[in-house]
Amino acid sequence: MSVTLPSSVDAWREVRARRSFQGQLPLSAFKRLADVVASPEGDVSYELDFGRDDLGVAYVAVRAKASPTLVCQRSLEPFQFPVEVDAVLGLIVEEREEASLPPGYEPLLLEQDGKLDPLAAIEDELLLALPLVPVNPDAELPEDVNAPEEEELPSSQDPSDNPFAALRGLIK
């Protein structure tokens, strides 16, 4: 098991060695993720396990935990959103190999040389786990949105104000 995460690994060599990486990185180390969150503060705990399953399928298991700060689209206030990723990525070199992956495996398309950026693999899974429209479940709508205005309250209307009243008279 390695604590430091290299910038690039040979995925096939890591699979043969059944290598694992585990550690913690600042959220700011993930550039694309830092661009979509409200604040790049915080850490990401990760674990990568390379290996082969009983069917001989090469995989990398990605587990990560983080609590990035997102902006609630209901209240426009920042809030912590806990994210936990647990994915098994089947390593493939050609797109047609995707069909042969067992159920529960997500495809990870590698270059012909087998190089893999582990940081990017973790970041991709974290980005997929974020909500498209973040909403704090504890947020409430502002008062002016919740309370109907006086003009919107139903009032007793005169039936002659109804535009269909004239049509009703024509039908009879």
Side-chain angles (χ1 to χ4, degrees):
M1 183 175 304
S2 178
V3 176
T4 60
L5 190 64
S7 61
S8 178
V9 296
D10 181 347
W12 305 120
R13 181 180 295 163
E14 304 303 331
V15 166
R16 282 192 302 276
R18 295 193 175 274
R19 185 118 188 245
S20 294
F21 297 93
Q22 181 178 347
Q24 198 166 346
L25 290 169
L27 194 66
S28 59
F30 300 90
K31 299 298 180 210
R32 292 177 294 147
L33 185 60
D35 287 344
V36 298
V37 298
S39 169
E41 303 296 319
D43 293 324
V44 175
S45 299
Y46 67 88
E47 189 175 329
L48 293 174
D49 292 318
F50 290 86
R52 285 196 184 273
D53 65 7
D54 296 337
L55 300 173
V57 176
Y59 69 87
V60 58
V62 179
R63 286 178 288 286
K65 287 183 183 180
S67 288
T69 302
L70 303 177
V71 175
C72 174
Q73 296 303 299
R74 178 180 294 156
S75 65
L76 299 178
E77 297 291 325
F79 72 103
Q80 296 293 115
F81 185 79
V83 177
E84 193 167 333
V85 171
D86 189 2
V88 180
L89 308 176
L91 304 177
I92 60 174
V93 180
E94 296 179 13
E95 287 183 21
R96 61 186 160 102
E97 296 174 33
E98 179 181 350
S100 65
L101 291 176
Y105 281 53
E106 293 294 323
L108 179 60
L109 187 62
L110 298 175
E111 296 295 324
Q112 291 294 330
D113 61 2
K115 295 293 181 196
L116 169 68
D117 180 355
L119 188 74
I122 297 167
E123 186 174 34
D124 288 345
E125 294 305 313
L126 287 170
L127 284 167
L128 288 171
L130 291 178
L132 194 56
V133 179
V135 176
N136 185 351
D138 300 329
E140 293 185 17
L141 289 173
E143 276 296 318
D144 57 339
V145 175
N146 281 336
E149 293 186 21
E150 289 183 29
E151 296 111 30
E152 296 180 71
L153 292 175
S155 61
S156 57
Q157 293 182 343
D158 183 11
S160 62
D161 290 344
N162 187 344
F164 296 104
L167 289 176
R168 197 174 308 124
L170 291 174
I171 293 175
K172 292 181 181 178

